Amino acid sequence: MFGKKSPKPTPELDLAQILPPVPLKTAAARRFMEFCQHDFQSHAHADGFDPNVYADAVTLVVDRLEATRHME
């Protein structure tokens, strides 16, 4: 009660805050990014979750999906 601070609510993390918005050219990359945005919210407060590692993995997969556009 007195002398104790109430815990501050943790700020909501959003994948868009970590990754810069980029126009995605392939439908597969857009669908994957949409999935990741929803998935990120469900894991953001899990123990051991590192949003930067998640964002790096998303970037890696999106870059690969976008590269397939040039292979067709």
Side-chain angles (χ1 to χ4, degrees), residues 3-69:
K4 291 185 180 179
K5 293 183 179 180
S6 61
K8 293 181 182 178
T10 56
E12 285 297 316
L13 287 175
D14 185 10
L15 191 57
Q17 294 171 331
I18 300 170
L19 292 176
V22 241
L24 300 174
K25 297 171 183 77
T26 63
R30 286 190 296 272
R31 286 192 309 268
F32 182 72
M33 183 60 79
E34 184 178 325
F35 164 79
C36 290
Q37 289 171 340
H38 294 294
D39 187 60
F40 185 87
Q41 292 301 319
S42 64
H43 296 290
H45 299 293
D47 288 339
F49 179 77
D50 186 341
N52 294 316
V53 171
Y54 191 94
D56 288 345
V58 169
T59 301
L60 181 70
V61 173
V62 166
D63 288 347
R64 181 73 174 140
L65 289 170
E66 291 285 88
T68 61
R69 178 175 180 260

